[in-house]
Every structure is written in structure tokens, then in C-alpha cells.
Amino acid sequence: ALARAVNYESAGTVEFVVGSDKSFYFLEMNTRLQVEHPVTELITGIDLVEQMIRVAAGEKLSFTQADIKLEGWAMECRINAEDPFRGFLPSTGRLVKFLPPKETSDASGTTRVDTGVYDGGEISMFYDSMIAKLIVHGKDRATAINRMRDALNAFVIRGISSNIPFQAALMQHPRFQSGNFNTGFIAEEYPKGFDAS
């Protein structure tokens, strides 16, 4: 309805917050895809970038909202060049070793890595700290969490620090696993910062 009201005809992301009473509060609309768009792609089976290009070329969508089916559960971790043991300070330098987990897609789910870095590449202070996006899909939330944990544990980065240890700890946290958390989760569970011990 928002896009129709302003005659918007492209990809866009509407951001909102959902209250504990399931009420929705609109935040903003970005006229682009978000970094998390692979999550939507994996649960819908629709390549959003392809569709965005087709619409920009004047094509009509070949499906309607009613045609879109949501299947399974997907999640994404942004792998950033930052040190969780030092208050998430930026970490710059040479990627001595960069070995992401193997990308797979089979009946049990999907593991996908979107990146543009490589062994020997430089992580500069002049650009965004994101090294890669790690996206997983499984039949349900527990399966996706387990798949993400395995993928994070298989990720090898040497030469700089990354937030992988923190994200791996989150995947094992009972409150995260239960889904019983809110936007205050990190402040509540890690009030003195992250320590893997």
C-alpha cells in the first residue's frame, strides 16, 4: 500500500518494529535491497536482484503476492572485520587466510557465502567492515541455527580479527535458540562486553 501510494515501481525495503502485542510500527522505506535480501531469496525461491533488473528494464513481474510461498527458515550473519574481544573495534590489515565454509544446497538446506574478498586481500579502514555475508536455510529455526553454527565454526579468517566468535556464541545461547529475546538482548546478556570464556 505504501509503494502504491507514491507510485513506486522497483525493489524496496519497508522497515518496521513489531511490539510484544504484535502491533506494527513503521520506521522507514529504503528504495533498494537490504544487505539481508538473501534471507528472503532463500525462503521464497525468488532471485530479488534478477526481478529488480527485469522491472527496471520495463518487464512486469510474472507472479503476484499470492503466488509467493514461504518455505523453511533462513538467517544471515554479517562477517565483519572487528574484534569482539575489544569492544568490536575495527580490525584492518591483510587477510593472510580466507577460507569460507563450503557452499551447499541440498534437501537438508542451503549454506551460501556472498563476498568479494580473497586470500592476501587488504581490509582497509576506508571501506565498510563487512568481509562476507553468511546465509543459511533449513526446514525450521532450529535447523537453520545448527547450520549457521556449523558454518561459522568452519569459517577460517587469519591476519585480522572478525566477529565470528561472537556470532558463534550467539548461536549457542539458550535465549537466542528459544527465540525469547528482543532488541535489548545483547545489552542484557553481555553487559560488560563479549568474552568467549
Side-chain angles (χ1 to χ4, degrees), residues 114-131:
D114 291 357
T115 189
V117 302
Y118 51 90
D119 267 4
E122 184 81 17
I123 301 299
S124 166
M125 67 177 161
F126 300 110
Y127 300 100
D128 189 290
S129 67
M130 188 164 53
I131 299 169

Side-chain angles (χ1 to χ4, degrees), residues 21-168:
D21 62 352
K22 306 255 192 253
S23 54
F24 287 70
Y25 300 92
F26 171 77
L27 294 177
E28 66 179 348
M29 179 174 172
N30 292 304
T31 55
R32 59 180 166 77
L33 292 177
Q34 296 290 84
V35 172
E36 300 82 8
H37 77 270
V39 169
T40 302
E41 291 181 344
L42 289 178
I43 63 172
T44 63
I46 297 170
D47 184 327
L48 296 178
V49 175
E50 175 188 356
Q51 295 306 316
M52 187 172 77
I53 292 168
R54 289 181 178 280
V55 168
E59 294 183 28
K60 296 285 184 194
L61 289 176
S62 62
F63 52 85
T64 67
Q65 187 68 43
D67 297 325
I68 299 172
K69 304 294 182 237
L70 305 181
E71 294 186 24
W73 193 282
M75 61 178 47
E76 176 178 309
C77 284
R78 294 183 192 190
I79 308 303
N80 290 335
E82 55 192 26
D83 190 343
F85 301 104
R86 296 179 49 222
F88 295 93
L89 286 172
S91 181
T92 60
R94 186 145 324 276
L95 278 169
V96 175
K97 185 72 174 171
F98 179 76
L99 183 62
K102 183 179 179 189
E103 292 191 290
T104 59
S105 190
D106 54 38
S108 67
T110 298
T111 300
R112 170 177 162 177
V113 181
D114 291 357
T115 189
V117 302
Y118 51 90
D119 267 4
E122 184 81 17
I123 301 299
S124 166
M125 67 177 161
F126 300 110
Y127 300 100
D128 189 290
S129 67
M130 188 164 53
I131 299 169
K133 297 185 305 188
L134 178 59
I135 313 99
V136 299
H137 178 262
K139 66 178 181 177
D140 54 31
R141 187 170 197 277
T143 303
I145 288 172
N146 288 336
R147 194 172 192 99
M148 180 62 79
R149 186 193 64 237
D150 292 347
L152 287 165
N153 289 335
F155 217 124
V156 178
I157 295 176
R158 300 286 181 266
I160 61 160
S161 296
S162 79
N163 61 347
I164 290 174
F166 177 68
Q167 295 191 60

